[in-house]
Structures are given as C-alpha cells and as structure tokens.
Amino acid sequence: MTKPISVQLYTVRDALAADRDTVLSRIAEIGYRSVEPYDPTTDPKGFREVVDDLGLTVSSTHAYALLSKDPSEVFDAIATVGTDLVIIPGGIEHEEFTTRDGLSRTADLLNGFAEQAARYGMRIGYHNHWWEIEPEIDGRHAIEALADLLAPEVFLEIDTYWAAVGGADVPALLGRLSDRVLALHVKDGPVVKGEPHTAVGRGVMAVPEILDAAPDAWRIVELDECATDIFAALADSHAYLTSLEGS
C-alpha cells in the first residue's frame, strides 16, 4: 500500500502558530493525509485530537527537543502525537561531519537516543542539510560514512533538496543508502543556498528520478521559504506528486 503524501509542518510554521486548527484543516482540504510535526511537545494531546478528527495520520516527527529536554518527556509527547519515527533534524555542530572522530561522536549520540527510543517502541532517524553532504570522507559524502557507524535500527530522512545543494547526485546517493532511508523531504527550487523554494515540480530537481530511487520511503513535502502563497505551493506540490503516482 502506498504511503500517503505527508507535509512537514515547519512549512506553515507562522500560520500554524497563529491558528493551528485552521491550518491543519486547510492541509487536509488540499488532500494531504499525513503530517510531520516539528515540535511534538507543544500541546500533543490537542494536536492529536485535531489530526484524528481530520483523518490525518502522523508520518513521523522531528524532535529537536531531544537535544535540550528530558528525553522521557519528549518520547511521552511523541507517543501521544502518534508516530514511531522520531527524527533529529540538526542541532549537531557542522564541524562534526568533517572528520571521522566527529562522525563517531555523532553516531554515538544517535545510537544512544535509539536505545532510549526502543523502550517506547520507536526508532530514531537523522535528517540532513547540506553540511552532511559537502564534506567527503574517503571519497564519500559524510552522511554515507555516518551511516556505516549507525546502529541498524537508526534510519535516515534524506532531505533531497539539501543533498543536491551539497553536491550529491541524489538518486545515486539514495541508491547507495538503500533501505537505511525511510523518509524523504521532497522539495524543489533553484538548488541555490539562500534562494526561496518553489512548489514541487516547479524547480530544477529531478523529482521523478529521486522518488524512483527510494520507492518505499515516505514522501514529505517541505518548503523552508517560499516566494509565493505557501498554501498554493502546497496544493501545487500535492497535485504534482499525485500525478506522478498515477503515471
């Protein structure tokens, strides 16, 4: 069964802060059937009630809070929100991805969180930006060298856009990482740091080839910044990805 298309709620962070329930309703009206929160510790019970009422599932969640809060508090919130895929979306010094020692420390951190997550029936993942891609360790992107050091249960959420910005051939990277990748951030744009993103299908990313390289991964739309109306961009992205599923 094909996983429903999800959306990272950081995309609508400003509107969400102003009126969470209306924003989630608009996302459901567009046709999304799943969402990925970026802070599960903010009113997890109320959030769960709204998504349940709207018929939405929670594909996964970012959990930056694990780096600063009591992990048990964070995992309890995630259990309430309703997902078992917990993703560290950064917060680790960029320099750690430039040396083997740094990668070892990063792997130890993620593997430690994975042991804690397992007690809750959850898995830990890591989400990349460009700084885990640009450095090379023995001729491979740092994210690949990191993957070798991770416990088998630790997965990756590959942000396909930032991987491209970092210089990766994204379909080839996904092929090498293989079943380590459980989720993709699908975004589009000019592939230039500091430039706004576009609706998926409106930029230069080779989206069909990227999706074909990880056919079983969650597709999670995210637009960090967008020069057009964000809800229109989300609707266009959903329509484009839906059209690919039918082709």
Side-chain angles (χ1 to χ4, degrees):
M1 180 177 177
T2 303
K3 296 180 179 69
I5 301 168
S6 186
V7 57
Q8 166 52 244
L9 294 177
Y10 184 76
T11 302
V12 291
R13 56 196 177 277
D14 294 334
L16 198 74
D19 189 345
R20 180 195 65 190
D21 295 4
T22 296
V23 168
L24 291 173
S25 180
R26 290 187 70 178
I27 286 171
E29 288 169 1
I30 288 170
Y32 289 96
R33 292 293 171 260
S34 194
V35 293
E36 182 182 65
Y38 61 91
D39 181 9
T41 65
T42 299
D43 187 22
K45 183 179 179 181
F47 179 88
R48 177 66 179 271
E49 289 174 352
V50 175
V51 296
D52 282 352
D53 286 347
L54 292 169
L56 296 168
T57 61
V58 179
S59 60
S60 45
T61 184
H62 282 190
Y64 190 84
L66 280 174
L67 299 174
S68 60
K69 295 184 177 182
D70 177 2
S72 63
E73 174 190 345
V74 179
F75 287 126
D76 284 342
I78 292 168
T80 299
V81 165
T83 183
D84 61 355
L85 299 181
V86 183
I87 298 157
I88 306 292
I92 298 169
E93 293 294 333
H94 299 190
E95 291 75 15
E96 294 289 75
F97 297 93
T98 63
T99 67
R100 283 197 167 277
D101 285 347
L103 292 179
S104 293
R105 288 188 291 269
T106 300
D108 288 345
L109 177 68
L110 296 173
N111 291 341
F113 279 131
E115 291 179 3
Q116 297 176 65
R119 301 180 197 128
Y120 292 81
M122 299 174 188
R123 295 179 64 181
I124 287 290
Y126 183 76
H127 169 281
N128 67 282
H129 295 79
W130 63 85
W131 54 83
E132 304 92 345
I133 307 295
E134 284 181 345
E136 291 194 354
I137 306 292
D138 295 333
R140 297 191 302 159
H141 297 294
I143 194 76
E144 297 178 79
L146 174 66
D148 291 344
L149 302 173
L150 296 174
E153 64 270 20
V154 180
F155 68 95
L156 296 174
E157 176 180 71
I158 294 298
D159 187 305
T160 60
Y161 189 85
W162 292 132
V165 169
D169 176 331
V170 182
L173 175 66
L174 293 173
R176 293 192 297 272
L177 292 172
S178 188
D179 56 6
R180 179 72 79 168
V181 179
L182 297 190
L184 303 176
H185 268 196
V186 183
K187 58 180 71 168
D188 213 340
V191 190
V192 177
K193 292 177 188 176
E195 292 294 320
H197 299 154
T198 68
V200 179
R202 303 290 179 88
V204 302
M205 293 289 289
V207 177
E209 292 83 355
I210 288 168
L211 299 185
D212 286 346
D216 297 323
W218 279 95
R219 281 91 165 102
I220 303 168
V221 173
E222 182 185 40
L223 307 173
D224 296 31
E225 304 289 345
C226 186
T228 61
D229 178 79
I230 195 62
F231 289 99
L234 283 175
D236 290 343
S237 298
H238 187 273
Y240 176 73
L241 292 173
T242 302
S243 74
L244 293 181
E245 291 178 351
S247 61

